[in-house]
Amino acid sequence: MDTRRRRSTPRHLYGPPPPFPRFPALRQMEPPPSPAEGDGGSGGSPRSALERQWLQEAGDFVRRALLGSGRGEGRAAAEEDPVVTVWRPLSRALSQGGGTRGLPLGYRLISVSELQSQQHQPCFSHLSWSSDEFRKWACDGKGLFPGQEVLQRAHLILVGYLTDGGKDGVTDGSLYVRDSTGMLPCEVLHFKLEWLDTLLLFPSWTYVPQKSPNRAGYLEILADPVQVMPEPEKKIDLPPVLDSGQAALLLGARSECKKVAELDVAGELSRLSTVLCIHQKVVFFLFLKSFRTDACIPVLVQAPHLAWHRVLQLEQGYVVTALKMSSLRASGLRVFVTTSSSHLLPYHVERVTEKFLDSSSEGTSVLSASPVASTPLSSSLEREEEVKTLIPFRKSKVISYAGTITQVLNSQASLYELDNKFTLCLAYQQQLNSGRGLRPGVCVELRDVHLLQKPLAAFPFVLGACLCTTLSIKSFSKRSTLHQPVASCGNLYVHLLLRYNLSLPLYLCLASLLETLELR
């Protein structure tokens, strides 16, 4: 049976998302005894006035921020106390996130809109930390950035839905924390697809406002969220898959491309592009390498699967289902493309049944096709990026590097300082997330980045990121610095870079010149 098209396939198995909003039917739960009624607390001890007040405010928060107005759950709230219907799962989540069984009386539940309107300075909240633990965290590495303040601690509890759709519901490659009052973009250190569209408690997070007044900031999620209403894990059987080497043969046979409806392909992730916006369409490329040969196939991933980019790890095995073969409009290069029914599954050799091409059914032309034609996109991307970063009489060296951003040199030019000695240039990548998370003090890891020595006298060592460079955040900054967003529209630096196809030395020279003109 083809499990890909079953409507009961859970969202956490990497399938297409249902339409938003998806608030849980809280009233279907068995209501526990109301903690707001009577004087009985845990263990039969009477509740204090402070506890009763906290529970009352928690009930108001659920009505205002989680149940909303004009929804089906709003009728449930009118018939019974929402504290009754959500207290049991929410208290479990609070105990798991805060490490205590009692009420977090020192903390206050806050909605997204309240966070935006009330918090104008960066703040940090950690539900389970004591004051001593926070001081130890704040003092660790403080001497690295003299003159900068550590994040202020806020005793706030954030509960909301994690979604990958913006205000208009369009998937744009970013993540958002959403409740009934509003939504905020967020960056995460670790991500699981089963968190999407579920009610979550965030035990540790940072809110970073923008430098520009009256502009919403963003959230940095420091620890894994806790599912308030976790669903039992469901598994589906992996379909019979085609190895990437076999799929490369199909991709290289022009006459056979139209005969195959959809394919389920397995392979090792050898390369991952950045998230790109091309002609108002947000996509990214992944490259699956055969487990037996050097053949590699390009896969174009499009909405609604852009969240895959946050879970994919290089050199790991994956199964991608329901792929179609297509050609890129401009170049004619043939690629695999995800469909609305595609799924991303981890590859386990003991669970996978592999299928092979049948020469009698697929035709001898498929078996004799050259696999070289299956990798033109990867090769063309490499050649294009090598041309862009060429320096007269010098060649760049591709390396991997991990370090700390010590200074934002020019946010609009996407220039940063790493470890007080390297200049990091991200201008050749599309920063669709406006550079969120890249504040002084953040630890980043770069893979396949170009190292250039003395491209200009003012830049002794430069790390230049290309479309094939992978940048990941390993730990967020603890410094109290505002967000300086990178403008995606009307950015003079990016416009001139693309208009004249500037090499990296010329771009650095241009950035220095424009910065000098701005200061005059």
Side-chain angles (χ1 to χ4, degrees):
M1 184 175 61
D2 189 357
T3 58
R4 301 193 307 268
R5 304 183 182 274
R6 291 171 53 189
R7 301 181 64 88
S8 59
T9 301
R11 181 69 164 89
H12 68 271
L13 288 176
Y14 306 173
F20 195 86
R22 290 159 293 275
F23 293 95
L26 301 177
R27 197 163 182 267
Q28 294 179 0
M29 298 179 56
E30 180 183 355
S34 173
E37 296 177 358
D39 295 330
S42 59
S45 58
R47 295 196 178 276
S48 65
L50 186 60
E51 290 175 319
R52 290 194 297 270
Q53 179 184 356
W54 193 94
L55 290 171
Q56 180 62 44
E57 293 176 353
D60 295 340
F61 169 81
V62 172
R63 293 186 185 93
R64 181 182 69 258
L66 300 184
L67 296 180
S69 58
R71 307 184 189 274
E73 287 78 8
R75 293 191 296 270
E79 297 175 10
E80 62 183 27
D81 189 349
V83 176
V84 176
T85 56
V86 301
W87 175 249
R88 181 175 293 169
L90 184 57
S91 63
R92 285 197 299 263
L94 287 170
S95 299
Q96 184 176 349
T100 177
R101 298 184 62 86
L103 297 176
L105 301 179
Y107 288 80
R108 176 172 65 92
L109 288 159
I110 190 169
S111 66
V112 168
S113 63
E114 290 172 338
L115 189 60
Q116 290 178 338
S117 60
Q118 299 176 10
Q119 198 66 39
H120 304 294
Q121 294 296 323
C123 65
F124 161 84
S125 179
H126 199 299
L127 190 57
S128 64
W129 276 7
S130 65
S131 298
D132 291 339
E133 288 173 317
F134 174 76
R135 282 192 292 267
K136 181 179 179 181
W137 172 83
C139 294
D140 183 24
K142 187 174 182 180
L144 184 61
F145 305 103
Q148 291 185 346
E149 297 181 355
V150 180
L151 287 166
Q152 296 181 355
R153 188 180 185 184
H155 294 76
L156 301 172
I157 300 176
L158 186 64
V159 182
Y161 294 82
L162 190 65
T163 176
D164 57 353
K167 292 182 179 179
D168 52 1
V170 178
T171 305
D172 57 3
S174 297
L175 294 177
Y176 300 86
V177 174
R178 182 173 186 173
D179 62 16
S180 299
T181 68
M183 63 190 308
L184 276 173
C186 69
E187 296 297 321
V188 297
L189 294 177
H190 177 239
F191 178 68
K192 295 181 180 179
L193 286 175
E194 57 260 33
W195 294 340
L196 282 177
D197 311 317
T198 60
L199 185 60
L200 301 172
L201 166 72
F202 300 93
S204 181
W205 50 272
T206 297
Y207 176 63
V208 184
Q210 285 193 29
K211 263 193 169 183
S212 303
N214 302 323
R215 294 290 185 92
Y218 74 96
L219 292 163
E220 296 174 350
I221 307 302
L222 309 179
D224 287 358
V226 179
Q227 289 184 277
V228 176
M229 299 177 183
E231 297 180 357
E233 183 179 357
K234 298 179 181 179
K235 296 182 179 180
I236 62 173
D237 295 331
L238 290 175
V241 299
L242 202 65
D243 182 74
S244 296
Q246 299 279 298
L249 296 175
L250 274 179
L251 200 62
R254 295 178 182 271
S255 60
E256 300 296 329
C257 288
K258 296 183 180 179
K259 297 182 180 181
V260 181
E262 292 182 352
L263 287 176
D264 306 320
V265 181
E268 178 184 305
L269 184 64
S270 62
R271 178 163 294 179
L272 182 66
S273 78
T274 60
V275 181
L276 306 169
C277 182
I278 305 174
H279 299 299
Q280 307 301 319
K281 188 174 183 179
V282 182
V283 298
F284 72 88
F285 288 92
L286 63 88
F287 298 88
L288 291 179
K289 181 180 177 297
S290 171
F291 292 114
R292 298 188 183 89
T293 68
D294 292 333
C296 183
I297 60 170
V299 179
L300 175 66
V301 182
Q302 55 189 352
H305 307 300
L306 298 178
W308 292 3
H309 194 271
R310 297 178 178 272
V311 299
L312 289 167
Q313 297 183 5
L314 295 176
E315 302 176 355
Q316 297 296 315
Y318 294 98
V319 174
V320 186
T321 67
L323 293 177
K324 287 188 175 181
M325 286 181 283
S326 182
S327 297
L328 299 182
R329 183 180 304 175
S331 62
L333 297 175
R334 296 186 302 279
V335 298
F336 286 100
V337 182
T338 59
T339 62
S340 58
S341 58
S342 295
H343 291 77
L344 176 68
L345 303 169
Y347 178 84
H348 300 289
V349 63
E350 66 275 4
R351 295 179 54 196
V352 170
T353 301
E354 187 174 347
K355 60 182 179 181
F356 299 88
L357 294 178
D358 185 358
S359 58
S360 61
S361 62
E362 297 295 344
T364 57
S365 61
V366 176
L367 294 178
S368 60
S370 173
V372 176
S374 66
T375 59
L377 179 62
S378 176
S379 301
S380 63
L381 283 177
E382 291 177 356
R383 290 194 297 267
E384 179 183 354
E385 295 309 322
E386 289 175 359
V387 170
K388 284 184 177 181
T389 56
L390 277 180
I391 304 174
F393 311 109
R394 291 183 181 271
K395 290 185 178 180
S396 63
K397 182 180 180 181
V398 179
I399 65 170
S400 295
Y401 185 82
T404 301
I405 291 182
T406 49
Q407 186 180 354
V408 178
L409 300 176
N410 188 330
S411 61
Q412 297 310 310
S414 299
L415 295 177
Y416 305 86
E417 182 186 71
L418 273 179
D419 296 334
N420 294 313
K421 59 181 178 180
F422 291 102
T423 297
L424 173 63
C425 179
L426 301 178
Y428 292 86
Q429 290 189 340
Q430 290 184 349
Q431 296 192 60
L432 299 185
N433 69 342
S434 302
R436 291 190 294 266
L438 300 180
R439 302 185 297 120
V442 63
C443 295
V444 298
E445 182 182 53
L446 297 159
R447 300 189 65 169
D448 297 329
V449 64
H450 298 262
L451 172 63
L452 297 89
Q453 296 185 21
K454 295 184 179 180
L456 293 175
F459 300 93
F461 299 96
V462 178
L463 294 173
C466 65
L467 295 180
C468 298
T469 301
T470 303
L471 185 149
S472 56
I473 295 178
K474 294 305 179 181
S475 64
F476 290 112
S477 173
K478 62 183 68 172
R479 305 299 129 190
S480 181
T481 54
L482 297 174
H483 176 44
Q484 304 178 46
V486 180
S488 56
C489 298
N491 190 316
L492 180 60
Y493 295 90
V494 176
H495 172 74
L496 294 176
L497 170 65
L498 299 178
R499 173 67 176 82
Y500 297 102
N501 192 25
L502 299 177
S503 63
L504 184 53
L506 289 178
Y507 177 75
L508 294 175
C509 183
L510 171 69
S512 299
L513 178 61
L514 290 180
E515 190 172 4
T516 302
L517 293 176
E518 290 176 358
L519 295 176
R520 290 183 177 180

